[in-house]
Amino acid sequence: MDLSLIIMQLLSGIALGAVLVITALGLTIVFGMLGVVNFAHGALFMIGAYAGLYLASLTGSFWWGLLLAPILIGAFGMLIEFVLIRRLYGRSIDDPLLLTFGLSYILVEGVRIVFGSDGIPFPTPPQLVGVLDLGIGFFPRYRLFVIALVAVVLLVLWLTLEKTRIGLIVRAGARDPTIMQVLGVDIGRVWLAIFGLGVGLAALGGVLAGPMRSVNPEMGSLVLAEAFVVTVIGGLGSIVGAVVAGLMVGISISLVALFAPEMATIVMFALMAVVLLIRPQGLFGVRGRTA
Amino acid sequence: MPKSGSTSKITRRTALAGLSAGAALLAMPRLGRAADETIRIGFPTPLTGPFAAEARDQVKCAELAVKLVNDKGGIGGRKVELLVRDDKLNAGEAATRTLELIEKDKVHAVVGALSSAVQLAVNEVTRARGVIYVSISQSDTINEAKDFSKYTFHEALNPHMTTAAVARQTLKKGMKVAHLVADYAYGHEMLRGFKRAQAAIGADNVGEILHPFGAADYSTFMPRLMSMRPDVLCISNFGRDQANAIKQAVDFGVKQQMKIVVPVILHNQRLAVGPDVFEGVVGGANYYWGLESQSKSAAAFNAAFKAANGGAIPTDYGAYGYSGVGSLLAAMQAAGGTDTDKVVDALEKLQYDLTKGPQHYRKCDHQSVQSVLVLESKKKSAMANDNDLFAILANDAGSDDMLRTCSELGHAT
């Protein structure tokens, strides 16, 4: 087995991991800050793909779809938080879980009614069609773009959280919401924004995945499972954990596919089982955290 | 991924509800002749899940077959009714629904199922109760002696027929062939068919990769497939797996290096990912509406379907619903009713031509002998309209030579 093949395989693992990171990120941020396990995350990923496709065909450009869909669906997420989830803060963690679980069925069925249950084509943007010759092999331009874009999103997110005043409020709010309220910060608005951000990231993941997979109403269910596995491995609520675990899972799947392809899906769950045995709180999780 | 979600727990409440419903059913007086006169056909099919698009076309076409018979006064004056049930692509669900159809709805025969595993579950139930079952799933095993019963008929093509026809059109002696195969019955059977055809033609196998059923991402298999440097890549999977696998193979530039071939090229999946992705992909099919230029039966079937469905065209899997139900109703017509043994006898003798030319059920294993199409997906600029998806490369007339012999399948000859 030559080295170039292994490098190509690593690269496809990183590209796969990039999509996992972006979807797991929204899930973990919402859990970390709000203590809400969002079971509608996969459905919102799917809604994001449909919105991106719809906006792209409306404006005639993929790039508008990529920009507007996360914003629009993020705003929709804020609406969900404001109308539904807000009422359940302070109650058992199961309540928002059940609410979002029900919501996911409504969203999937809604898309089936509006767009039909058949898959619909989501063309790759013309600038990114085809492969790039890397010297050791060919790699799809679009997947390289996905890696780059996810890296940029992560950087912006990190800088915002670590270096700005808004980031400071968010971090403080996650640690002690009561003190924040005493200090005069309207924590409700922070939570609203965070939930919107989480949903926006899910939608971004959906638009990015669109040109790589067929777009259909059930495309989110598998993604939800993957995002949960990544979140659990990385540690619930940990942003760094989601990034590390996402890439780790992507690369593991890819390398296992090289030697035992039929095991490619199972490896993700095996990895989770091992991590849970050795470090139950996940790689970067905090022990005993209930948010 | 469709997983068995039917962990049905029997609580006291459901048990009570079930018991009282059963009691009500027993206590209900016979409705007399009126109920007996309707001929009921059970139709389990995966209306939800990854094969939903194909399943819905099957239902539309099965309903059409029923309607055409009813319009002509039914069978011996009896109306026909189709009872559609969602099998959810789950063998357990399918067995339960089929049992219900037989025990509760008192169906006279069952037609349907799309997935290979599900058809075996349906067949188990119908076989044990001596009910006729016409399968429209592409799988071989149902025709083998161990799963066979005299009540079991197989209307769909089987892997052996399609892979042989596709291989004849695409493989040549000395060519290198690689396989990407879904890791379940359907994929395994198609792989076996292709390898047999390859061996006969003299093409070389350079590698095979099994992928998990229902996978969304195939990128991790691509570098290895390309490093095998084959001339032809055979992708043997079904439904959305086919769309995703071909789409991602094309993204990796696979088509510049090799030809992509599939055992069965799916109408709905071609629609789902668009012409550019499928361009040049070759695959087998039981039916394509464009056959109407060569076949009067196809033209008549298209016209009837269009009239009933607002001008839409019938699809490949839809045609199975039509010919599966249609052949059964024709046999009932010939048998003059629903007496199971007489209908079985009539099906064995039946010569029918519903969608694409003459067909008949082979006596030993009840496999429908029929023509096989080989299609090539057209490029966008060559499409005359939105429905103009494929070019017909070959239309191999049906013959017993296409099938594995009766003795190979374990039947007494």
Side-chain angles (χ1 to χ4, degrees), chain B residues 126-302:
Chain B
T126 52
R127 185 167 69 158
R129 282 162 187 76
V131 173
I132 294 172
Y133 171 43
V134 181
S135 163
I136 49 177
S137 159
Q138 293 227 9
S139 178
D140 253 338
T141 49
I142 201 165
N143 298 103
E144 288 171 14
K146 65 179 167 55
D147 283 310
F148 181 77
S149 84
K150 72 172 212 175
Y151 308 108
T152 305
F153 289 80
H154 193 242
E155 162 61 22
L157 296 170
N158 66 38
H160 184 70
M161 296 161 89
T162 49
T163 50
V166 170
R168 244 196 321 279
Q169 293 298 319
T170 52
L171 302 184
K172 289 191 183 69
K173 194 176 166 56
M175 269 187 172
K176 289 187 288 184
V177 186
H179 297 273
L180 179 62
V181 181
D183 192 9
Y184 74 112
Y186 178 88
H188 296 172
E189 287 172 26
M190 291 298 179
L191 176 64
R192 191 178 61 199
F194 268 129
K195 284 169 91 170
R196 188 178 159 123
Q198 258 167 253
I201 291 168
D204 299 325
N205 207 50
V206 292
E208 40 204 71
I209 290 183
L210 296 178
H211 75 74
F213 168 66
D217 198 280
Y218 296 82
S219 64
T220 55
F221 307 124
M222 295 306 157
R224 188 159 151 225
L225 281 170
M226 291 176 83
S227 73
M228 294 171 183
R229 307 213 160 272
D231 303 301
V232 174
L233 171 63
C234 299
I235 300 181
S236 298
N237 53 20
F238 192 82
R240 281 175 190 157
D241 289 6
Q242 178 174 84
N244 279 331
I246 294 179
K247 186 170 188 177
Q248 292 168 29
V250 171
D251 284 346
F252 270 80
V254 159
K255 276 204 299 206
Q256 277 92 312
Q257 284 186 21
M258 60 196 93
K259 188 158 190 66
I260 298 179
V261 158
V262 295
V264 179
I265 192 162
L266 296 168
H267 191 112
N268 286 312
Q269 301 309 326
R270 156 60 189 78
L271 289 178
V273 290
D276 299 333
V277 171
F278 261 58
E279 181 186 332
V281 174
V282 173
N286 59 309
Y287 186 75
Y288 171 58
W289 71 273
L291 199 61
E292 66 183 13
S293 59
Q294 306 178 15
S295 157
K296 277 195 186 125
S297 332
F301 170 49
N302 288 345

Side-chain angles (χ1 to χ4, degrees), chain B residues 63-145:
Chain B
E63 281 169 346
L64 176 64
V66 168
K67 179 179 174 290
L68 292 182
V69 168
N70 282 339
D71 286 351
K72 287 188 187 145
I75 291 171
R78 296 163 71 181
K79 287 281 175 204
V80 181
E81 188 190 351
L82 189 74
L83 289 85
V84 178
R85 296 290 181 271
D86 186 4
D87 68 32
K88 299 186 178 153
L89 205 63
N90 174 310
E93 182 80 19
T96 313
R97 292 284 90 81
T98 307
L99 195 59
E100 255 175 35
L101 281 167
I102 294 171
E103 302 282 335
K104 190 165 145 276
D105 300 312
K106 310 276 180 216
V107 293
H108 297 94
V110 175
V111 181
L114 213 161
S115 155
S116 45
V118 171
Q119 81 162 352
L120 290 177
V122 173
N123 190 44
E124 281 299 312
V125 176
T126 52
R127 185 167 69 158
R129 282 162 187 76
V131 173
I132 294 172
Y133 171 43
V134 181
S135 163
I136 49 177
S137 159
Q138 293 227 9
S139 178
D140 253 338
T141 49
I142 201 165
N143 298 103
E144 288 171 14

Side-chain angles (χ1 to χ4, degrees), chain A residues 60-289:
Chain A
S61 157
F62 169 79
W63 306 105
W64 282 114
L66 184 64
L67 182 73
L68 295 178
I71 296 175
L72 213 68
I73 303 303
F76 175 60
M78 286 174 154
L79 188 72
I80 294 173
E81 198 271 355
F82 192 73
V83 178
L84 298 169
I85 304 207
R86 175 155 297 197
R87 284 151 221 285
L88 301 176
Y89 290 143
R91 292 169 66 161
S92 140
I93 195 166
D94 303 338
D95 290 9
L97 187 151
L98 286 173
L99 175 88
T100 49
F101 189 65
L103 192 64
S104 72
Y105 276 99
I106 295 173
L107 293 175
V108 170
E109 205 54 51
V111 168
R112 279 198 195 126
I113 292 167
V114 178
F115 293 96
S117 47
D118 300 349
I120 45 178
F122 194 146
T124 312
Q127 298 88 338
L128 296 172
V129 171
V131 289
L132 199 68
D133 190 352
L134 299 175
I136 49 165
F138 298 96
F139 204 75
R141 286 166 200 272
Y142 183 77
R143 280 179 194 254
L144 291 173
F145 162 76
V146 169
I147 298 176
L149 186 85
V150 169
V152 170
V153 169
L154 287 177
L155 190 69
V156 170
L157 204 64
W158 182 76
L159 285 176
T160 315
L161 279 177
E162 295 295 323
K163 306 282 173 194
T164 66
R165 199 180 139 71
I166 302 169
L168 191 67
I169 294 174
V170 169
R171 278 181 293 143
R175 193 169 294 176
D176 198 333
T178 322
I179 292 289
M180 289 304 288
Q181 266 166 318
V182 171
L183 289 172
V185 175
D186 184 355
I187 199 75
R189 272 168 58 195
V190 177
W191 285 342
L192 182 71
I194 291 297
F195 197 81
L197 174 70
V199 171
L201 285 171
L204 179 64
V207 188
L208 284 177
M212 296 191 278
R213 299 170 187 181
S214 71
V215 174
N216 59 64
E218 292 83 24
M219 69 186 289
S221 55
L222 193 64
V223 169
L224 179 70
E226 290 173 346
F228 265 115
V229 170
V230 169
T231 323
V232 168
I233 293 175
L236 278 166
S238 165
I239 293 176
V240 183
V243 176
V244 173
L247 290 176
M248 204 164 99
V249 167
I251 292 169
S252 309
I253 290 177
S254 188
L255 289 184
V256 168
L258 198 55
F259 303 105
E262 56 271 54
M263 298 289 162
T265 320
I266 301 168
V267 65
M268 172 165 87
F269 298 101
L271 204 62
M272 178 171 79
V274 171
V275 168
L276 284 178
L277 281 175
I278 299 168
R279 245 185 100 79
Q281 70 271 39
L283 295 177
F284 295 86
V286 182
R287 186 178 284 271
R289 171 170 202 160

